[in-house]
Structure formats: C-alpha cells, structure tokens
Amino acid sequence: MQILPKLLRQRRSHAATAPIPAGLVPIGSLQPPHPLAGGGFDAARHRAFQALLAAFGDPDLLALKRRVLAGEAVPPPATRAGRGSLRVAQAQARWRDGPGPA
C-alpha cells in the first residue's frame, strides 16, 4: 500500500481519477505483473488475472475489451478508463495476432 502525502493533505483516500463510488474507501487494488516481465510471457499469470478481471472488473470496460479482441472497430471511448481499456485491448490483440514485440 502506498500512502501519498499529497492525498493526505487534501484529506483524500484515493486519487480523484480512481473509479471509487462516493461514500466508499478503497482498501486495496490489484495490479498484474507485466506479462513479459522476467524474460518471457507468463501465460498462467495472464489467465489468472483475466479470470479476476472477468469476475470483478467493470462490465462496460470488459465488454469494450471483448469487442476489440473480436476485431470490431470501436470509436474512442469518452472516459479515461475507457480509453485505457481500449489501449490495453489493442495491445493484447496486436500481441495475439502479430509476431510479438520486436
């Protein structure tokens, strides 16, 4: 856990950009290891995180990701979270469909 002095000074428990509903306080977050960290792709770690994401992730963002991975043309989302999800899905599609990173 990270406690950031700037957030404490502002009497905030989390960044304003975090999608935490009003009245709730985050107690933890999940950040997957980079799938290429350690010299190679770890498919088991990737699958494990995808299962967590499917169970607990934002349904709208998951639907966006599925559309991109299915090859649909998707217009740029209006939200920051949507744009981030779009970039991740596009990167995963490139990795899946291409020869991998150079």
Side-chain angles (χ1 to χ4, degrees):
M1 181 169 157
Q2 226 176 357
I3 298 181
L4 302 173
K6 182 178 178 180
L7 291 176
L8 292 175
R9 281 192 299 275
Q10 296 173 351
R11 297 190 175 273
R12 297 191 59 88
S13 63
H14 56 280
T17 55
I20 311 297
L24 297 181
V25 177
I27 59 168
S29 65
L30 296 174
Q31 295 179 345
H34 194 285
L36 297 175
F41 180 71
D42 189 330
R45 278 187 176 172
H46 178 72
R47 281 191 306 274
F49 186 78
Q50 295 309 302
L52 286 172
L53 191 60
F56 302 107
D58 181 302
D60 293 334
L61 298 178
L62 290 169
L64 171 67
K65 181 178 174 185
R66 286 187 192 106
R67 289 176 58 205
V68 171
L69 292 174
E72 289 183 40
V74 177
T79 66
R80 182 178 182 174
R83 291 187 297 273
S85 295
L86 176 63
R87 285 190 301 274
V88 167
Q90 289 169 332
Q92 288 179 349
R94 282 191 304 273
W95 176 260
R96 178 195 64 197
D97 299 340

